[in-house]
Amino acid sequence: MMTQTVGNADARRARRPSAVAAAVALSLLAQAAAVPAFAGSTEQAERIYERIAGVQPDATTLANMKALIDAGGGNQQSLINAANVAVQAPTFYNVVLKNMVIPWTNRNQTVFAPLNDYAATVIGMVRDNVPFNTVLSGDILYTVTGSGSGSLPAPAINNNNHYATAEANGVDLSTALKATTQSAVYGLPSSATAGVITTYGAASAFFINGTNRAMFRFTMINHMCNDMQTLMDTSLPTDRIRQDVSRSPGGDSRIFLNNCAGCHTGMDPMVQAFAYYNFDVTSNQLVYTPGQVQPKYLINSQNFPQGYVTTDDSWSNRWRTGPNSVFGWSSAAPAGSGNGAKSWGQEIANSDQFAACQVQKVFQTVCFRLPTSSVDVSAAQAIKNNFKSGYNLKNVFVQVAAACPGS
């Protein structure tokens, strides 16, 4: 009887999968579901459009993109041809691109912030194929004009009303933006303009109060894809670290040597480029004082009186040696040193890491993931190399969309 019972139990177990087997089966099903099925030209066209424009294509646009893909047999160039149709959609500028850029303009890095001159300038540069390596150095500004803009407050150096009102009016950024200069609109000397760094949006967020180190940090985040903890280098000399940084925080000099110095040895010599800039909270505007170092650079001097005293806006990039030399610093001017924000912005934007960062941000926006697989990394590398020939960021969107149309 016992043998019969055991036999029947064995038979039941043979007929019914164990809990472990069931879990394995579910896991395999989940993995299978995660692998996209082979996409035909219609599906590829639809996916490309949705990822670039943020909405579904109409029937005519979809048919046009499908025909372009079919004409090339689905090869890479045919996918690029189709993607070039998608970047003509107004929603590419009004939704997808704007949502990518707005977090760059505020300390909370949130998309839930008003349109401002920083974001409008980036969107206009992309639309007009302005070389994007000038985004941190050019005397450039985009304002809102043209059909659909309605009656707007004039763009001003001391408020964001022009752009906030334009956004509230629902203007079409694909047509309403007009290129001008900060020197013409804001009255800054052209030599003092530094692309988005000297816009009202950036100045009010990153030059306000503090010691101007925030502008450096957020430029690293937004345009070099690295925050300070990944940039630390304790091997560099500490002679350019300002007086406000204690050399023995909490009475322990090891904290300074092993932690604080790692950021400040590279940061402080470069932040000196902003020595003549401040955002004045009383007048609510960017202030530029050529030849006169802003008082914020000299605060808390008793923290370490023997520290560096800023006397001008000369800067030096000490990251050209050491671990951060992997960023691929250019031999083109200014090649490691200069004066002022404009030349410093050129130093950053001429680096290989700047180009790689823009591709990374677009890849995440379009493909909804970072390029981590070997296939993605190879694609991103090729796109970065193409980007450095002309710095056309719109083409990066096109090429990235073509690289992941079915994934």
Side-chain angles (χ1 to χ4, degrees):
M1 180 66 69
M2 180 65 70
T3 302
Q4 182 64 37
T5 301
V6 172
N8 289 341
D10 287 341
R12 287 194 297 272
R13 281 194 292 270
R15 290 192 299 268
R16 298 193 321 190
S18 67
V20 173
V24 170
L26 287 172
S27 176
L28 292 173
L29 284 171
Q31 293 178 38
V35 178
F38 177 78
S41 57
T42 299
E43 291 77 13
Q44 287 178 315
E46 188 171 29
R47 182 68 63 88
I48 288 172
Y49 192 92
E50 288 175 350
R51 290 189 169 185
I52 288 181
V55 295
Q56 290 186 328
D58 58 46
T60 301
T61 302
L62 181 60
N64 183 19
M65 292 175 65
K66 178 184 183 302
L68 290 170
I69 295 173
D70 288 338
N75 62 20
Q76 195 70 8
Q77 186 57 53
S78 70
L79 297 175
I80 288 174
N81 293 341
N84 272 314
V85 174
V87 292
Q88 298 173 32
T91 50
F92 167 60
Y93 301 97
N94 292 311
V95 179
V96 175
L97 184 55
K98 186 175 79 167
N99 286 350
M100 185 181 85
V101 175
I102 286 291
W104 304 356
T105 70
N106 61 85
R107 293 194 185 213
N108 292 330
Q109 299 178 282
T110 177
V111 71
F112 300 108
L115 178 72
N116 54 44
D117 54 351
Y118 184 147
T121 297
V122 171
I123 294 168
M125 291 178 71
V126 174
R127 185 198 65 184
D128 295 347
N129 302 324
V130 177
F132 203 70
N133 63 333
T134 63
V135 71
L136 302 177
S137 61
D139 182 5
I140 187 168
L141 180 73
Y142 274 79
T143 58
V144 183
T145 60
S147 61
S149 61
S151 177
L152 298 177
I157 195 172
N158 62 353
N159 65 69
N160 190 52
N161 297 343
H162 174 77
Y163 298 92
T165 304
E167 184 177 44
N169 290 350
V171 300
D172 181 359
L173 299 177
S174 71
T175 58
L177 293 176
K178 178 184 178 181
T180 181
T181 62
Q182 294 177 36
S183 57
V185 177
Y186 292 159
L188 287 171
S190 183
S191 60
T193 61
V196 295
I197 291 173
T198 48
T199 58
Y200 173 85
S204 61
F206 310 130
F207 275 147
I208 191 170
N209 301 323
T211 58
N212 283 355
R213 293 182 177 107
M215 181 64 78
F216 179 88
R217 181 200 170 204
F218 282 95
T219 302
M220 292 299 104
I221 293 172
N222 295 330
H223 298 288
M224 295 289 274
C225 292
N226 278 269
D227 203 345
M228 296 310 300
Q229 64 267 25
T230 61
L231 297 168
M232 293 178 63
D233 181 3
T234 57
S235 69
L236 296 173
T238 61
D239 60 303
R240 289 282 290 272
I241 300 179
R242 285 186 239 162
Q243 294 173 311
D244 63 326
V245 179
S246 172
R247 278 19 177 213
S248 55
D252 189 346
S253 61
R254 293 172 299 179
I255 296 176
F256 168 76
L257 293 172
N258 298 320
N259 190 8
C260 306
C263 291
H264 287 279
T265 53
M267 173 171 58
D268 280 20
M270 287 197 268
V271 173
Q272 194 167 334
F274 309 141
Y276 301 156
Y277 296 90
N278 183 38
F279 187 81
D280 186 275
V281 295
T282 302
S283 61
N284 197 44
Q285 70 180 56
L286 175 66
V287 174
Y288 175 68
T289 54
Q292 182 180 344
V293 174
Q294 287 291 327
K296 62 171 61 179
Y297 275 74
L298 307 173
I299 64 173
N300 300 321
S301 60
Q302 294 306 306
N303 285 350
F304 189 71
Q306 297 78 26
Y308 185 78
V309 178
T310 303
T311 59
D312 57 27
D313 66 348
S314 61
W315 59 268
S316 175
N317 180 8
R318 296 186 171 183
W319 287 345
R320 283 179 168 259
T321 62
N324 292 328
S325 62
V326 299
F327 289 162
W329 303 104
S330 173
S331 59
S337 63
N339 288 83
K342 183 183 289 290
S343 63
W344 181 79
Q346 293 169 341
E347 172 82 351
I348 297 302
N350 285 339
S351 70
D352 191 70
Q353 179 60 25
F354 172 85
C357 179
Q358 313 320 305
V359 173
Q360 176 180 314
K361 286 179 175 289
V362 173
F363 207 99
Q364 189 164 23
T365 298
V366 174
C367 301
F368 309 119
R369 64 177 186 271
L370 292 173
T372 53
S373 71
S374 59
V375 173
D376 286 350
V377 169
S378 295
Q381 179 70 24
I383 294 169
K384 181 204 71 175
N385 292 338
N386 288 334
F387 175 53
K388 291 179 70 174
S389 177
Y391 289 94
N392 186 319
L393 194 62
K394 188 193 301 179
N395 282 346
V396 173
F397 277 89
V398 168
Q399 292 165 10
V400 167
C404 59
S407 59

